[in-house]
Amino acid sequence: MKLPASLRPIRADIVRGVLFMLGMGLPVWAGIVLEQPVLGAFASLGAMLALSLDPRRSMATRIPSIMLGTLLVVAAAALGLVIAGNRPLALAGLFVISWLAGLPRPDHAYLSLLGKYAASALVLAEMGFPATVPIGAAYVAGAMLGLALSLMQAYLVASVEPGSSPWDEMNAVISGDSNGPLYGLTLPLTILLATWSAVKLGVVEAGWVGLTVLFVMHVDDAQAWRRIWQRVAGTLLGVVLAALLLTWVGSPLGLVLLIALLAAAYPMALRRNYLAFSLVVTALVLLVIDVVKLESGGDAGLLGWRFVDTLLGCAWVALALFCMRALRRFWPARRGC
């Protein structure tokens, strides 16, 4: 029986929710059972990457897109590990990769998200987040699980979403169809300044501030302003939810169940609005990080800092938007924004 057109997105969200639940829940469960929670958590994050990057097109497009995206993120993490401890080199690397992440236009969904993930991997590895060969292998294994689940989705929900393919996006960016030099320079400069201010203020794990700028800032002012308040509100609610869940759950296997449930809600929250998405993804990532840090007592002590990081990052985004709005009065329209 063929579903009405109005119900097809709901069915697709349900299918993707189940796949996210399996992709993120199974690796964490396996890691805890095998007494390798760190590897299980990173495999879960790898599956999250693959399922998020999924261009939802033909299998011939999905396979190379997800595999190449995974390798790029792993390479960025390896670069972050190599330059760790060399602050000038780390800032230069962050500037370049943030500039590249800011080139794709908002409608270039695959490249835009891939650039953010690659920049995040470099920042997290450089700031000391665990990055070893076994962890990298676990991450890639999780991404391959995500790829397998993506192919399963292609079989269960035979649909191609509107928008350009990853290859069309690459050709467009190479040919100059990008966000323009003003935004392209403002984004990495804002990330650098936000990270520097966090270091000077003594913020714990200052890289999270730069990541907030990376994910919140938008070339469209109106969209960016909406994202700022939705990000702050969603993150606050996500931190509170994660704190309550970590207080309530007394066992690692309970964490697995919560991660699976939040992962199931991820696709629907992403489609609904940025506030709901920020709430779900904040709580989800914090619970996965808690699994990473189980052996050292968990991540509960840093939950408050996550919200401080978000506030500081959003404040820098607001300042950058004011500056861009002023500069546009002197920036020739033909040169883009």
Side-chain angles (χ1 to χ4, degrees):
M1 179 178 176
K2 190 173 182 180
L3 284 175
S6 60
L7 294 180
R8 289 173 195 167
I10 298 176
R11 180 194 175 194
D13 282 343
I14 293 173
V15 172
R16 293 199 74 217
V18 172
L19 298 181
F20 264 87
M21 180 176 65
L22 294 174
M24 298 195 69
L26 287 177
V28 174
W29 172 79
I32 290 175
V33 170
L34 298 174
E35 298 183 350
Q36 295 289 341
V38 175
L39 297 184
F42 274 92
S44 175
L45 293 174
M48 181 180 180
L49 166 75
L51 290 167
S52 299
L53 281 181
D54 182 3
R56 294 188 281 288
R57 291 182 169 271
S58 68
M59 293 188 182
T61 298
R62 292 180 191 228
I63 293 173
S65 297
I66 293 175
M67 292 183 69
L68 288 174
T70 300
L71 292 177
L72 179 61
V73 171
V74 171
L79 176 62
L81 189 62
V82 169
I83 63 180
N86 188 327
R87 183 58 58 181
L89 192 58
L91 292 176
L94 177 59
F95 182 90
V96 172
I97 200 167
S98 300
W99 173 71
L100 292 173
L103 287 178
R105 296 176 63 85
D107 54 319
H108 297 154
Y110 173 83
L111 286 184
S112 181
L113 187 59
L114 178 57
K116 290 179 173 63
Y117 269 111
S120 301
L122 182 143
V123 171
L124 292 174
E126 193 278 328
M127 64 188 263
F129 216 66
T132 63
V133 172
I135 285 176
Y139 191 86
V140 172
M144 294 305 99
L145 171 62
L147 172 58
L149 293 172
S150 167
L151 298 180
M152 184 184 300
Q153 180 199 358
Y155 175 77
L156 295 173
V157 184
S159 64
V160 174
E161 295 202 354
S164 55
S165 72
W167 322 125
D168 294 334
E169 293 179 12
M170 292 178 189
N171 290 331
V173 172
I174 292 173
S175 64
D177 183 18
S178 65
N179 282 326
L182 179 57
Y183 180 82
L185 290 175
T186 302
L187 176 63
L189 285 174
T190 306
I191 291 173
L192 287 177
L193 290 171
T195 304
W196 173 80
S197 68
V199 171
K200 291 299 182 182
L201 292 172
V203 172
V204 177
E205 297 183 346
W208 290 99
V209 178
L211 296 183
T212 298
V213 175
L214 182 68
F215 280 91
V216 172
M217 197 158 170
H218 199 281
V219 69
D220 175 16
D221 280 3
Q223 180 76 358
W225 286 120
R226 283 194 297 271
R227 283 197 172 196
I228 288 175
W229 77 261
Q230 289 178 347
R231 174 76 178 195
V232 173
T235 300
L236 174 59
L237 294 173
V239 169
V240 171
L241 177 60
L244 292 174
L245 293 176
L246 289 176
T247 301
W248 174 62
V249 175
S251 69
L253 291 180
L255 273 177
V256 175
L257 177 60
L258 293 174
I259 288 170
L261 291 175
L262 285 170
Y266 181 101
M268 189 169 293
L270 178 61
R271 189 184 291 273
R272 293 303 173 266
N273 61 68
Y274 199 63
L275 189 152
F277 172 68
S278 295
L279 189 160
V280 171
V281 76
T282 297
L284 177 60
V285 171
L286 289 177
L287 292 183
V288 174
I289 292 176
D290 193 75
V291 174
V292 173
K293 299 185 177 183
L294 273 178
E295 296 175 350
S296 59
D299 191 51
L302 292 176
L303 290 181
W305 282 108
R306 305 299 183 220
F307 184 64
V308 173
D309 297 340
T310 300
L311 285 178
L312 185 56
C314 287
W316 275 102
V317 171
L319 178 60
L321 291 178
F322 279 120
C323 293
M324 286 179 62
R325 182 170 296 177
L327 287 172
R328 282 197 186 101
R329 299 167 64 181
F330 309 99
W331 198 270
R334 67 179 181 276
R335 297 176 63 184
C337 59

